[in-house]
Amino acid sequence: MAITAAQVKELRDITGAGMMACKKALAATEGDMDKAVEFLREQGLAGAEKKAGRIAAEGVSFAKVSEDMHTGVVVEVNAETDFVAKNAKFQAYVDQVCDQALTTSAADIDAFLAEKWNLDETRTVAEQLSEEISIIGENMHIRRFHKLVENEGLVSAYIHAGGRIGVILQVKSDVVNDAVAEMAKNIAMQIAALNPKYTTRAEVDQEYLAHETAILTEAAKNEKPNAPEKVLNGMVQGRLNKELKEICLVDQTYVRAEDGKQSVQQYVDSVAKAQGAKIQLVTFVRYETGEGLEKKSEDFAAEVAAQQAAAKKN
């Protein structure tokens, strides 16, 4: 099949590999983008994670905790333009959606939209959304929400870049004071900055590990085709451990560590020791506004031509 320039560009954006390598990978995999990424990784030409996401939808992701710090929520509300996303009325409405989510018993977004709006029980959440759309003058969408509850510790929240990223973190602790709360906030900031996929290695899916091991094994064989199996296994294990340190929160290097070597788990342990506490990072949720969505592509020249054509008709 013919490989298009657009496909080559997309693969290059995803992997950071060279143009000719991307073209070869697509040809070898008959244009299958996921298989092409794996092909490049096996050749040692691409990383494990996409280097360029396709995040484009506008809106904000807000996070908030209850006054007792036992409940936390993160919500994403989308709008059509960045201008509206930065609007004070829009952001005030999203804050109200957070308050609604803090008390909701809904298990999914459909049930959430169907429940009564806390500030006016004569209408539903969906009906209030429609009202906000008419006031703000732009289409809006409550895309998702997630709630965490921890009665034996606290939930911490962090909002980055005015709502570009929202994070909630669940922490179990037999001591809850300012020092523990500050630690939780610092780790929520870490999650926003470094985007871990898991809290600990125990959460990593075995199928994922097997898949990564297979890819790294092929890469090692291509790099050192005559190496003994023991050497190849050592290469694979070393690279897998490095990858896990990047995607598992407790194994990541703590970004605010003075020596640049302290892990997140070591930071937690140091706070626990200082406060005489038992502390466990349970789980977290990180929303990045628009992740997984694609913004409508605008062709400015075509738009102008369409407007001119419409004007002539009138």
Side-chain angles (χ1 to χ4, degrees):
M1 63 174 291
I3 303 301
T4 67
Q7 287 176 297
V8 174
K9 181 181 183 302
E10 181 180 356
L11 184 58
R12 189 177 185 183
D13 287 342
I14 290 171
T15 63
M19 183 174 65
M20 294 308 295
C22 290
K23 188 173 181 179
K24 179 180 178 181
L26 286 165
T29 57
E30 298 183 340
D32 187 305
M33 195 63 63
D34 291 335
K35 290 182 179 179
V37 171
E38 292 187 2
F39 179 91
L40 288 171
R41 290 189 62 206
E42 289 173 356
Q43 301 301 313
L45 299 174
E49 293 295 319
K50 294 184 178 182
K51 294 185 178 180
R54 303 186 68 177
I55 300 171
E58 305 299 345
V60 295
S61 293
F62 274 10
K64 196 170 187 178
V65 296
S66 58
E67 289 187 11
D68 62 8
M69 296 190 295
H70 290 316
T71 305
V73 295
V74 57
V75 305
E76 180 182 353
V77 182
N78 300 120
E80 292 181 55
T81 64
D82 182 57
F83 178 78
V84 163
K86 294 177 179 178
N87 180 279
K89 288 184 178 180
F90 174 78
Q91 296 207 358
Y93 168 66
V94 178
D95 189 62
Q96 292 173 351
V97 175
C98 282
D99 289 336
Q100 181 84 25
L102 279 170
T103 62
T104 190
S105 58
D108 55 46
I109 194 66
D110 290 334
F112 181 73
L113 291 169
E115 70 182 14
K116 296 296 183 182
W117 180 243
N118 284 347
L119 298 177
D120 182 355
E121 294 193 354
T122 66
R123 61 181 65 183
T124 64
V125 173
E127 289 168 341
Q128 181 63 32
L129 173 61
S130 296
E131 176 69 15
E132 296 294 333
I133 290 171
S134 66
I135 293 172
I136 294 175
E138 190 169 294
N139 191 30
M140 292 154 50
H141 175 60
I142 302 175
R143 183 186 178 200
R144 53 183 175 163
F145 75 95
H146 198 102
K147 179 161 74 170
L148 293 176
V149 179
E150 179 52 72
N151 292 318
E152 298 179 3
L154 74 155
V155 179
S156 185
Y158 175 68
I159 301 172
H160 178 71
R164 197 65 195 161
I165 298 171
V167 174
I168 48 175
L169 169 68
Q170 182 179 349
V171 180
K172 187 179 292 292
S173 176
D174 57 357
V175 174
V176 177
N177 56 20
D178 289 345
V180 174
E182 181 183 5
M183 176 216 70
K185 175 71 74 175
N186 288 339
I187 295 176
M189 292 171 65
Q190 167 104 12
I191 294 165
L194 295 189
N195 193 18
K197 306 302 179 187
Y198 308 94
T199 307
T200 69
R201 295 191 183 197
E203 297 176 1
V204 182
D205 184 72
Q206 290 302 310
E207 185 176 334
Y208 169 85
L209 288 176
H211 183 70
E212 288 300 299
T213 300
I215 291 175
L216 292 172
T217 299
E218 286 302 312
K221 288 179 179 178
N222 285 329
E223 186 177 332
K224 295 186 176 182
N226 298 319
E229 184 176 351
K230 184 178 180 180
V231 173
L232 292 175
N233 289 340
M235 290 172 63
V236 171
Q237 194 58 51
R239 291 171 182 178
L240 185 61
N241 283 335
K242 182 179 179 181
E243 186 176 320
L244 290 173
K245 286 183 69 175
E246 293 176 354
I247 64 175
C248 295
L249 175 62
V250 298
D251 292 330
Q252 287 183 338
T253 300
Y254 177 47
V255 292
R256 300 185 68 179
E258 293 182 2
D259 62 1
K261 297 180 180 180
Q262 185 183 39
S263 70
V264 169
Q265 186 62 60
Q266 288 171 332
Y267 168 58
V268 172
D269 291 343
S270 69
V271 174
K273 182 178 180 180
Q275 301 304 313
K278 295 180 180 179
I279 302 174
Q280 176 193 356
L281 304 184
V282 180
T283 191
F284 65 88
V285 180
R286 180 187 187 274
Y287 281 0
E288 186 161 349
T289 303
E291 58 190 343
L293 298 177
E294 289 187 48
K295 190 176 182 179
K296 181 181 178 182
S297 177
E298 299 290 349
D299 185 332
F300 183 71
E303 182 181 344
V304 172
Q307 290 176 349
Q308 290 175 337
K312 288 179 180 179
K313 289 181 181 180
N314 294 330

